[in-house]
Amino acid sequence: TPRMNTAARRNESADDSLAISEETKEAEQAEEGIKEILELLCVLGAAQKELCMYRSREALQIFHQLPHEQYRTGWVLHQVGRAYFEMADYQNAKRALETMQNVEPHRLKGLEVLSTALWHLKKEVELSHLAQTAVDFDRLSPEAWCVVGNCFSLQKDHETALVFFRRSIQLDPNFTYSHTLSGHEYVSNEDFDKAIHCYRDAIRADDRHYNAWYGLGAIYFRQEKYDLAEYHFHRALSINPQSSVLHCHLGMAQHANRKPYEALETLQQAFALDPRNPQARYQRATIYMALERPHDALEELERVRDAAPRESSVHFAMGKVLKRMGKMEQAMRCFLTALDLDPKDNNLIKAAMDKLDQPDVEEDGSAF
């Protein structure tokens, strides 16, 4: 019996050692799992931080470091789509957000961004299908009615678009994007007072919504309130300093406010952020003409023409510059090219052609 007791104690000791070993292994596995989760959250947090600061390229680099199974999730693909959208890369934004739909078919967050990407790409059929799908799935979602509003906006039915944007706001008064899109529709109808009200509502809901600050600046620019326009473009840029388009509009406001050299510097920043942005070069040409530097203006316009060869206004502007330089034959060729590309503007172009042999009178680059 003493031997039996000793054997029993040995078995109990072995069982205890095995249990302790299993508990230790489970604890190590749990610790390893927690470590992996924390590392994943750190990566997602770093990417989200960059995205919130509108450093979209940096955010995309971080998102692309994620493992495949984490990258192909609805939330990550939504953020990737947003990053491409902020870079005005609408084709890649569309691709990412459509993949988001495939991965999570019932996800509605992000569809407002997808619908705006489709709006920019002029994809009427795809946008109509998206609107129908979103409303069929959840009629009480602000995103769904925002998509419907974008659908009618693309068809130039601004009044109907406003009805659906208002429905979106009724469902969620803090849905900032619908406030801003309502403002854009009112601007299209040239109802600036109501547009200003919508943009201010958007800012009240989210004062970091730079699109609304931009919208206010664009209205004040059209109303020739250049100080106010410059202030609001500055506010938009303080939130999103990575936007080439915002720098371009600020440069236009500075030029209109008789700050040509500040405007040239701002437009250089716009070009540095996005060398593909022809508007920055076009506006620089406008300023060079106002500063009586036609050779510099022509150089910029030639580069714009190379990027957008079928843009009538560029050939028309080149004709005006060449006229200023005394190169009448080349100016006439540019005017004829502009006329071929856009016959609707024939009165303006024909007037310039008729006055080709006459000296410019009170004419500067702003007449482009």
Side-chain angles (χ1 to χ4, degrees), residues 48-292:
Q48 187 67 2
K49 178 186 175 184
E50 297 294 342
L51 193 54
C52 287
M53 297 174 74
Y54 295 98
R55 293 201 285 254
S56 299
R57 286 184 179 82
E58 291 82 353
L60 285 170
Q61 288 174 357
I62 297 172
F63 279 128
H64 285 132
Q65 294 172 10
L66 290 169
H68 180 73
E69 63 272 13
Q70 296 296 338
Y71 184 84
R72 284 185 64 84
T73 58
W75 186 87
V76 170
L77 289 165
H78 177 190
Q79 308 315 312
V80 170
R82 276 182 58 205
Y84 280 122
F85 183 86
E86 292 297 345
M87 293 165 62
D89 187 347
Y90 301 119
Q91 195 63 52
N92 275 322
K94 171 179 175 287
R95 190 174 294 116
L97 292 166
E98 285 179 342
T99 306
M100 175 197 78
Q101 270 195 301
N102 293 333
V103 170
E104 289 187 24
H106 299 143
R107 183 184 177 88
L108 289 170
K109 287 187 182 298
L111 294 191
E112 74 280 6
V113 182
L114 174 57
S115 69
T116 308
L118 293 171
W119 186 95
H120 282 289
L121 294 168
K122 311 299 181 192
K123 302 285 188 180
E124 281 194 35
V125 175
E126 292 178 47
L127 185 49
S128 296
H129 176 71
L130 180 65
Q132 187 65 55
T133 303
V135 172
D136 286 347
F137 180 70
D138 188 356
R139 300 180 68 85
L140 297 178
S141 162
E143 290 87 356
W145 296 109
C146 183
V147 173
V148 177
N150 265 335
C151 182
F152 281 96
S153 174
L154 183 56
Q155 297 168 18
K156 308 294 183 186
D157 189 346
H158 303 300
E159 291 299 331
T160 307
L162 281 164
V163 170
F164 290 115
F165 288 139
R166 280 196 291 268
R167 175 61 179 151
S168 173
I169 293 165
Q170 284 175 346
L171 291 166
D172 182 0
N174 291 318
F175 193 67
T176 313
Y177 204 46
S178 285
H179 286 293
T180 299
L181 292 177
S182 295
H184 294 344
E185 295 305 308
Y186 280 122
V187 168
S188 297
N189 285 340
E190 299 197 351
D191 191 340
F192 298 133
D193 289 339
K194 288 183 179 177
I196 287 172
H197 180 75
C198 289
Y199 291 137
R200 287 176 176 166
D201 283 342
I203 291 168
R204 273 191 285 271
D206 179 7
D207 63 359
R208 280 184 52 79
H209 190 64
Y210 76 89
N211 313 70
W213 290 106
Y214 158 77
L216 288 169
I219 289 174
Y220 291 129
F221 185 84
R222 289 180 65 171
Q223 294 177 337
E224 299 184 5
K225 298 175 181 178
Y226 300 123
D227 284 331
L228 282 171
E230 194 175 337
Y231 167 79
H232 285 87
F233 288 141
H234 268 300
R235 286 297 300 265
L237 272 169
S238 70
I239 299 164
N240 182 5
Q242 307 300 317
S243 171
S244 176
V245 173
L246 287 177
H247 278 91
C248 211
H249 282 278
L250 175 60
M252 291 164 60
Q254 289 170 329
H255 174 48
N257 227 358
R258 299 184 180 182
K259 300 176 184 176
Y261 296 103
E262 285 184 37
L264 283 172
E265 186 177 334
T266 301
L267 290 167
Q268 181 58 38
Q269 292 174 343
F271 183 72
L273 286 165
D274 183 6
R276 301 171 304 166
N277 183 358
Q279 185 68 6
R281 288 197 182 279
Y282 186 87
Q283 295 303 328
R284 279 167 65 87
T286 302
I287 297 170
Y288 283 138
M289 280 297 286
L291 294 173
E292 297 293 337

Side-chain angles (χ1 to χ4, degrees), residues 5-20:
N5 290 338
T6 302
R9 281 196 295 271
R10 286 176 182 169
N11 289 337
E12 288 177 5
S13 177
D15 290 343
D16 290 343
S17 298
L18 183 61
I20 291 170

